[in-house]
Each structure stands twice: as structure tokens, then as C-alpha cells.
Amino acid sequence: MDEERRGTWFGFGFCGFGQALGSGLGRQVHSPEPLRTPGGSLDVRRVSASWSYTAFTTRGGLVQLLGAVGGTAEGCTDAWASEELLVLLRGGPGAGAELQAWAPGSALRGDPLWSQAVQEAEHGPSCDETQAGPLPLLPCARAYVSPRPPFYRPLAPTLRARRLELGAEHALLLDAAGQVFSWGAGRHGQLGHGTLEAEPEPRLLEALQGLRMAEVAAGGWHSVCLSETGDIYIWGWNESGQLALPTKSLAEDGKTTAGEASGLDEDGSEVKRGSAGEDGAPVPFIAVQPFPALLDLSPGSEAVKERGSSTPGAGVNMDSLATRTQPLWTGPAVWSTL
């Protein structure tokens, strides 16, 4: 969400820890409901959702944790939540900004697990023409924070990162030119290179070359990006319908299948076919989509904003999109209206 534009935050999905998704402890929130912050009066600037807790950052610099863990901290400009690590960017006089990593269960008391001063060259407005996105991408887009050691990971300066998102085992990077890079594990097709192989270093998604992207989001083992023209591209694991493509688990919920066979489609996607379609023909299911696929929106809809939040440790599928006419979601999520 743009820092200077205000809107309403909504949440939906699993709320068993009271992590402020909608209205109630132990509820499954099936459709977007306004987030309920403590006292209902916090001017929320950013939200970072992990599996069991949520971190709110207010315009006044207060970070509030809700859910399985709690705690508050003042003087913060950003917070990034994961099950293993809670990262805060705290301001200070002059070049005194500091990056801090906390154990989520610490309630933000005592000392952080580690801290690192943000150098003036990395934090000042003149350090680069690239406007870095929120955490885990660090100011000036030269490094990012990982929930696993090493926590501080530098990026090649040639990437000129604008946004970075972490999934359970992979990373997505959007650069200043609107190109998408991915790296990490690829066994669920989440890298988008057409294989299930891992990539140790950032690799350009060749399938999207020539298309300028505006947003990226990483779920547990799937990926989403939004083009500047409003098109949505999805790839990776579709076990629970994360990609809004036909899936066996959802079909079984509707009692539409009795058996299956599997194979590869022409585009390399892993396809399973059930045997109980209404017309008697096998029903195709897509388990893994290793290439970016264009998502069909309902007529009259246009995607305008994408906000993904993932839980790298737990691998929870979390991402959401908003359209001009209706919300579109594929898993537990937090999103905002502008």
C-alpha cells in the first residue's frame, strides 16, 4: 500500500489465534472483513501477516502484535512478520536507523536477536533512484532479510530491486524495469522457469520478458504477479486452488470425482484427470503450473492492486488481489482498499 494514501484494511482466512483477521478468536473468516485493531483507533500504515500473528505498523511509529504472540514497540517505520523472525526497522536521529530481528515470542522485551545500523548511504533519499518496497527488502534495495541464517543477504547491485517477496522456499524480485526474477527451491513449480529445479541465484523469468510488471507476491509454494496493464500471471503449486485453477481437493469437496490419472500438459503443467465429470469425460486438474499462466478475471473486472503475504516457515498459502469491481482471493490474506 502506498504510504501516503489511506484506506481500509481487510482480512480473511484462518483466525484461530485471534490475529485480527476480521472479528473473532477461533474463527475461519471466509470473506474479507475489516481488521479490528486494538481500541479500533490505530492509524494503520502497514500490515504484515504471519500464520499465527499479525504485525501492525501505525503512522505514528507504533508496532502492535496480535495473535499467538503480543507486544508493542515504538519508533518504528516498518515491520515484517514470519514464524521464525520478527524484523523491525527503527528510526533514529540522523543516520541512526537500525534494523532489528526479534524472536516473535519475546513480546519485544529485552534485547533483539541481532541488530544492524542502516548506513546513511543506504537510508538517504539520494542513495538510488530506485524506490525500494517494504521489508523484507532493505532500504536502498541492496539487501534483504531472511528468516533463516544468514539473516542479512546482499543483492547484486545490477538487479536494482524495487520489491522482494519471500515464499516458504523461494524468493521473487521485481526490478526497476518491471522484470521479475526468482530463485530458491522449485519443486512445486514456484520459480516459473518451466522446470522443478532449484535456482541458487536470481534468474530472469523469460516467459514474462517484454511485459512490464507492477507487483509481485509469493505464497508458500506459488507465485503471482500483476502487469502494468492489469493482467494477472500465476504459477506454482495448485494443491488447494491457490492459482484459481481446477484442483482435485476442491473437486472432492464438491464430490465430482471418483478416480484420477496424471500426466503433463503441453505447457509442462502437471495435470491430473478425474473420472466423474457431468458429461462423463475426465475432469482436468492442475497440480503444478511451472510456467506463468494468465488468470482470467470475470467480465468487467480489472486488477488494480496486489498484496501478498507469506509465512516462509509454515508454508501457508497467502496472497490476494483486489479488482475494481470485486475482490479476488486464493488463500488466507490481508489486503487494503485505496
Side-chain angles (χ1 to χ4, degrees), residues 239 245-258 274 283-285:
E239 182 270 342
L245 298 174
T247 179
K248 180 176 182 292
S249 61
L250 296 183
E252 286 180 337
D253 289 342
K255 298 181 180 180
T256 59
T257 67
V283 178
F285 303 126

Side-chain angles (χ1 to χ4, degrees), residues 19 22 57 62 74-75 121 146 166 183 194 204 215 221 241 269 310 334:
Q19 55 267 58
T57 304
L62 176 70
E74 297 181 345
S146 169
L166 297 178
W183 66 99
L204 177 68
E215 296 281 344
W221 293 282
S269 58
S310 66
V334 174

Side-chain angles (χ1 to χ4, degrees), residues 70-114:
T72 60
E74 297 181 345
C76 303
T77 58
D78 199 2
W80 178 65
S82 73
E83 292 301 293
E84 297 100 332
L85 210 62
L86 171 66
V87 179
L88 304 181
L89 186 62
R90 307 189 82 157
E98 185 177 60
L99 188 71
Q100 297 181 346
W102 296 78
S106 67
L108 296 173
R109 296 174 182 169
D111 296 322
L113 298 175
W114 60 268

